[in-house]
Amino acid sequence: MDSQAAQDYLGRLLGKQLRIHTTDARVFVGEFKCTDNECNVILSQASEYRHPLKKSVSSVAKGGLPTVQEEETEQPMTSRFMGLIVVPGQHITKIELQDR
């Protein structure tokens, strides 16, 4: 794809809902605002989705605090509203156009 075609394609994505997957298994969904030469992406009205940690679920049920280095489980994803965010290009693994 030549430079002009790439710019035209990105221009058509402005204002669309994107789903961005990152290297740490989080997913961000928000309205595409812009990108730069380092492939950083800015989303507005963004939400973060992530899988809860296996020990987090069991230790919270027992009244304990979870530790950071725990493996993921197949529990439903948790979410939180983030607002305007920058997703660093070096951590992006996949970008999808979100159907509304």
Side-chain angles (χ1 to χ4, degrees):
M1 179 180 294
D2 68 1
S3 179
Q4 186 60 46
Q7 289 177 6
D8 292 343
Y9 179 74
L10 285 174
R12 288 193 303 272
L13 290 178
L14 289 173
K16 305 280 185 177
Q17 286 286 114
L18 296 184
R19 181 185 307 153
I20 299 178
H21 300 258
T22 59
T23 55
D24 59 359
R26 290 184 294 170
V27 177
F28 297 94
V29 176
E31 184 179 325
F32 177 57
K33 290 297 181 185
C34 69
T35 187
D36 61 14
N37 291 335
E38 285 81 39
C39 298
N40 300 314
V41 175
I42 295 180
L43 299 176
S44 67
Q45 301 297 312
S47 294
E48 172 197 47
Y49 297 89
R50 63 182 178 84
H51 291 283
L53 302 173
K54 182 184 275 187
K55 286 193 175 183
S56 297
V57 174
S58 62
S59 64
V60 168
K62 295 176 186 174
L65 295 175
T67 60
V68 175
Q69 298 175 350
E70 297 167 342
E71 50 183 276
E72 292 181 12
T73 183
E74 292 299 320
Q75 298 293 321
M77 294 182 95
T78 59
S79 68
R80 66 180 175 156
F81 179 74
M82 304 286 289
L84 185 67
I85 63 168
V86 176
V87 184
Q90 64 189 8
H91 297 294
I92 295 174
T93 58
K94 180 168 63 170
I95 299 176
E96 301 172 293
L97 184 60
Q98 175 86 18
D99 291 331
R100 289 188 186 225

